[in-house]
Amino acid sequence: MSDSVQPPEGTSSANEGEGDPLSRWGRAAAGVAGLSLSGAGAVSVFATENQAGSVALVLGGIIFLLMLISGNQLLSLGHGDTQMRFATRRRQVIERAEEAAPREARSVLETLSAVDPGASRDSQFIRTSAMVYERLILAELTRLFPTLTISGNATDPQRWQYDMAISAPSGHAIFVETKYYSSHPIGSAVVHQLMGIAASGTMGGLLVSNQRLTRSAEMALRIAQENGNPVSYVQWRDENDNDALRGAALGLLRQMGYSDSDRP
């Protein structure tokens, strides 16, 4: 859902104050890290096809080298009369992530948050992270269910809009809603919304999130399932959760009447 990501309070701006100057050892470490990352990124440009990853390495190297030159911390760089804020470079990297393949985009965003801690509080970074997360789920579902139809931005006959849908040739289908949050868990309001859509439509609803459910959300989901409402939830953080993702989707499809005999 496009409204699933709310920037946390205290979102950083490009005008935050300067941090304390780096120590001599800090500048030395920044120089070593900068040279190492820049060199690795330059080599990977020619040695691999992962251009997004190469960009992330070069970016990290540049940032650390600028720290060496300016003597300032990661949050902001200043040298003489010229101020270079990470917000500008951050936007450039985020835009690259938006254009990259899902896994490469995730790698770029993870690298950016590592070298620029303030990025995790940036509203554009959070929105892009949610978009990349949705694309990752779509890609993983497509890989996990090669005989089924996985469609993004799906619409059912009642004109409900879904992040994606999983459909079998037999006609059995479920919709999938993704929720990405940077820290806080999924509240009961999200579960109630999922229940309402599933109850008024013809498809079961699967909620996929990187965060856990609150206790009230767990209770609401359990009550809905006990009452026969075709809804389910799975926490997906990376490929290690693929078995859980596949199991949740397949279980819900079977609840809707799908069976292995329906496979083409």
Side-chain angles (χ1 to χ4, degrees):
M1 290 183 177
S2 60
D3 60 348
S4 65
V5 181
Q6 296 295 332
E9 293 182 3
T11 300
S12 62
S13 67
N15 296 320
E16 290 179 341
E18 301 291 337
D20 295 330
L22 289 173
S23 66
R24 181 178 63 180
W25 291 110
R27 295 182 70 169
V32 172
L35 289 173
S36 300
L37 288 173
S38 297
V43 170
S44 67
V45 168
F46 300 98
T48 72
E49 296 181 358
N50 185 355
Q51 296 302 310
S54 301
V55 169
L57 288 172
V58 173
L59 168 69
I62 292 174
I63 290 174
F64 280 112
L65 289 174
L66 288 172
M67 289 172 59
L68 169 65
I69 296 172
S70 66
N72 291 318
Q73 294 184 12
L74 275 173
L75 295 178
S76 181
L77 295 178
H79 185 65
D81 295 330
T82 302
Q83 288 291 323
M84 179 175 292
R85 300 283 180 176
F86 276 99
T88 300
R89 189 169 298 280
R90 182 188 301 165
R91 285 194 296 271
Q92 295 173 348
V93 176
I94 292 173
E95 288 171 0
R96 289 182 181 274
E98 292 173 352
E99 300 172 357
R103 291 191 180 187
E104 293 180 359
R106 178 179 58 186
S107 177
V108 170
L109 293 175
E110 288 175 347
T111 301
L112 176 60
S113 65
V115 300
D116 179 8
S120 61
R121 300 186 299 273
D122 187 294
S123 59
Q124 184 184 6
F125 178 90
I126 297 172
R127 285 193 300 270
T128 302
S129 296
M131 180 193 71
V132 170
Y133 182 79
E134 182 178 329
R135 290 166 54 194
L136 279 167
I137 298 301
L138 181 61
E140 292 304 315
L141 287 173
T142 300
R143 190 176 65 82
L144 291 170
F145 296 101
T147 62
L148 303 183
T149 300
I150 316 297
S151 54
N153 298 318
T155 304
D156 73 355
Q158 282 74 35
R159 308 301 296 174
W160 285 106
Q161 295 287 332
Y162 309 120
D163 287 340
M164 59 198 77
I166 306 176
S167 306
S170 59
H172 302 105
I174 64 173
F175 68 88
V176 180
E177 290 290 276
T178 62
K179 291 287 186 181
Y180 178 91
Y181 292 107
S182 57
S183 58
H184 61 85
I186 305 299
S188 58
V190 174
V191 174
H192 285 297
Q193 184 180 34
L194 184 80
M195 292 161 47
I197 297 175
S200 62
T202 59
M203 298 192 292
L206 175 62
L207 173 64
V208 183
S209 177
N210 64 316
Q211 297 293 343
R212 62 177 180 83
L213 298 176
T214 62
R215 288 189 177 181
S216 60
E218 289 179 350
M219 183 178 297
L221 182 65
R222 183 170 60 252
I223 293 174
Q225 292 171 337
E226 291 173 351
N227 291 332
N229 195 323
V231 291
S232 188
Y233 154 81
V234 63
Q235 184 176 18
W236 191 93
R237 292 151 295 191
D238 55 36
E239 288 76 11
N240 292 323
D241 295 322
N242 274 354
D243 287 344
L245 177 63
R246 186 179 187 279
L250 190 57
L252 195 56
L253 277 167
R254 286 172 175 166
Q255 185 178 346
M256 300 305 296
Y258 171 80
S259 66
D260 293 342
S261 61
D262 295 323
R263 294 181 181 179

